[in-house]
Amino acid sequence: MNPIAEVETGRLEGLSNKAGRSGRHVRSFLGVPYGADPVGPLRFRAPQPAEPWAGTRQATAFGPSPIQSASSPYSGVIPGNQVAATSESCLTLDVWVPDGGDGHRPVLVWVPGGAYLTGGTSIETYDGSGLAADEDVIVVGVNYRLGVLGFGWFGDPDLGDTNCGLRDLLAALGWIQRNAAAFGGDPANVTVFGESAGAGALAHMLASPAATGLVRRCILQSPGIDHTLYPDDMEQVAEVFIRQSDISRSQLHRLLDTDVEQLLAAQEATVLEMLLGLTSMPFHPFVDGDLLPASPSIAFAEGAAAGVDLLMSWTADEMRLYPNPEADTVGPEVLGQWTRRYLTSRAGADPGRQRARNLVAFYGDLLAAKGRTQGSDVWAAIQTDGVMRLPARRVADSHAGNGGRTFVAEFAWSGPPAPGEWDRGAFHAIDLPFSFDTLDRGGWRQFLRAGPEADVLARQHMHAWASFARDGTPEIPEAGAWSAYTAPERRTMVLDTPCSVTPDPLADIASAWDGLWSPDCRPPSLSTG
């Protein structure tokens, strides 16, 4: 007999299957609406409550993923991240509940990433049943609007609202608080976790006063911290999108009934046009003065979410997922020129020729010790720290400095490269199948050339996340005490085979970057175009 759950909008019938390494039965309720379909006049609006239904609703299949383009430059880079059906009617969530127990389990809420352009909870890497079964937690996956539908803004409040994708997440968390008990979950013990844009969305959401009281703990895996946009940036994005849509400012209302394929075509064209001039992610959370008063860097520095326990993680070689072979054809002088331009656009100030050359030389020496001697190695490492690791470390510093309970991890494991192939190292998103112990899904094991040691690490990784959700202290018993992250020691769990706790692994790197960031962490290119 299929499991039944009663939620605020009606009765659900789900599925029950054995899952995880334990083989425990898990009840799954899939495709559950948490908001009304955002279509027609609601297309660019904040989510509205889901409509109640009569009788019993079948919750045995995933809902459609958010509207997205299959040919996005961010689609298909890693294994198994292609979605199937997509629709504007995407405000659904999926719940996995282990059998047995007396209720009041911690609830882990997963927010998928994909550069705010792709992704969805139905991706098999994100199957939460094993995590639920083996760690005795409730797992919830949340879909939210992406691209122009989630993060477009045309300056017209009569057309829509700002940051609809973030508002979707807030609505989903409200639904979870009101309905967690129906699945045996503790509404006072909700942990959100996400990776890449999913983590970035959560960081921006926690920077909003609207998130107060919705979340007890948060896990940010490789978040994009310093990509926040501002109203003048959104004006530029809107102008390009409107032109690519072949409409005028006076015809904005036509966007409410424009065919979805036309919207996607204009969206893709906008992404490509803005790539070099403004940002690689033009559809992104922005400071709107309403929902989002400040970027995560500024908000966390000012004490936002100080009462939320934070686990911050990144991978050791984030940007080796995107190698630039051209960097192998130029010498240190040209790499210095690239670095100077990069730092000016990313960090907010021109470091000057010599400082840029010094940074290139620093990374050259650092990487030579690891046998990485090519220009592409240096360039990937500079981007890894400038885009991902150092901004995340800065937020961890702020949170801990404001009294927030903070833990930090670096995922450092990597599989052996295939003969003659680029060594991707511990690249961006490599931690995804370890978060859910799904190495055998979507081709991950083959892609990573992963052996039994990776399975051990997956179990440790998953247990660390679940134990943090239970009581605020992540555990990997084999690695020793995982103490809270505080300056100056900044103790960090290195997730590898074996795992170990070390003092700040980025200490020397942070010193090499000292003084390169603008005070508000806002690159000038984001204000001047």
Side-chain angles (χ1 to χ4, degrees), residues 101-444:
D102 56 0
H104 298 289
R105 290 185 172 98
V107 181
L108 284 108
V109 181
W110 172 250
V111 178
Y116 303 98
L117 291 173
T118 66
T121 62
S122 64
I123 291 174
E124 54 186 332
T125 305
Y126 308 150
D127 181 356
S129 61
L131 174 55
D134 293 347
E135 293 294 339
D136 195 40
V137 294
I138 292 174
V139 181
V140 182
V142 176
N143 285 316
Y144 59 106
R145 281 172 284 181
L146 302 171
V148 69
L149 297 175
F151 299 97
W153 171 243
F154 302 97
D156 184 354
D158 290 331
L159 179 69
D161 298 302
T162 58
N163 287 307
C164 285
L166 297 186
R167 296 178 193 272
D168 293 345
L169 295 178
L170 290 166
L173 287 169
W175 188 97
I176 290 164
Q177 272 211 338
R178 297 190 303 273
N179 294 278
F183 302 99
D186 182 355
N189 192 7
V190 173
T191 297
V192 289
F193 71 128
E195 187 270 343
S196 193
L202 290 174
H204 284 83
M205 186 191 76
L206 290 179
S208 171
T212 302
L214 291 176
V215 173
R216 185 168 182 180
R217 301 187 176 95
C218 177
I219 302 171
L220 301 180
Q221 299 175 222
S222 301
I225 295 294
D226 284 345
H227 294 275
T228 308
L229 299 180
Y230 291 80
D232 45 344
D233 307 318
M234 298 307 293
E235 288 178 12
Q236 294 183 56
V237 175
E239 289 302 324
V240 173
F241 184 86
I242 290 168
R243 172 163 46 78
Q244 295 290 352
S245 300
D246 197 27
I247 63 173
S248 67
R249 273 282 179 186
S250 62
Q251 299 173 313
L252 284 178
H253 63 279
R254 288 175 50 190
L255 293 175
L256 293 174
D257 53 23
T258 297
D259 179 77
V260 162
E261 292 303 319
Q262 290 179 266
L263 287 179
L264 286 177
Q267 175 180 295
E268 282 195 83
T270 301
V271 170
L272 292 175
E273 184 169 336
M274 305 304 290
L275 186 62
L276 297 179
L278 178 67
T279 174
S280 60
M281 292 187 287
F283 300 104
H284 186 283
F286 80 100
V287 173
D288 56 13
D290 173 22
L291 182 72
L292 187 61
S295 70
S297 288
I298 295 173
F300 276 81
E302 294 176 347
V308 175
D309 298 340
L310 176 66
L311 198 170
M312 179 75 77
S313 78
W314 52 73
T315 70
D317 303 299
E318 294 275 3
M319 301 307 286
R320 286 184 74 84
L321 184 59
Y322 308 101
N324 183 352
E326 188 180 348
D328 293 333
T329 67
V330 301
E333 183 64 33
V334 174
L335 276 179
Q337 295 170 10
W338 289 11
T339 299
R340 183 178 181 182
R341 288 195 298 269
Y342 173 75
L343 292 174
T344 302
S345 65
R346 284 299 319 157
D350 182 353
R353 178 169 177 257
Q354 190 57 50
R355 187 73 193 275
R357 293 175 69 183
N358 291 346
L359 199 62
V360 170
F362 167 82
Y363 277 100
D365 293 340
L366 181 70
L367 296 170
K370 302 178 180 180
R372 294 176 176 175
T373 59
Q374 301 299 310
S376 53
D377 295 316
V378 171
W379 187 237
I382 290 172
Q383 291 183 300
T384 287
D385 293 330
V387 173
M388 304 300 297
R389 297 201 299 178
L390 291 178
R393 178 182 182 270
R394 190 169 61 244
V395 166
D397 280 349
S398 294
H399 193 258
N402 286 319
R405 189 169 170 80
T406 309
F407 295 86
V408 168
E410 175 170 285
F411 191 96
W413 180 90
S414 63
E421 285 189 0
W422 164 262
D423 179 6
R424 292 183 294 264
F427 60 87
H428 184 70
I430 191 176
D431 52 335
L432 286 175
F434 293 83
S435 302
F436 293 91
D437 194 11
T438 49
L439 281 163
D440 287 323
R441 306 292 185 87
W444 273 107

Side-chain angles (χ1 to χ4, degrees), residues 456-474:
V456 173
L457 180 56
R459 291 194 291 274
Q460 292 173 322
H461 190 289
M462 196 169 69
H463 179 69
W465 269 215
S467 57
F468 177 73
R470 261 187 287 277
D471 60 19
T473 301

Side-chain angles (χ1 to χ4, degrees), residues 42-53:
L42 298 180
R43 174 175 266 181
F44 297 107
R45 288 291 181 192
Q48 299 301 304
E51 293 289 336
W53 55 83

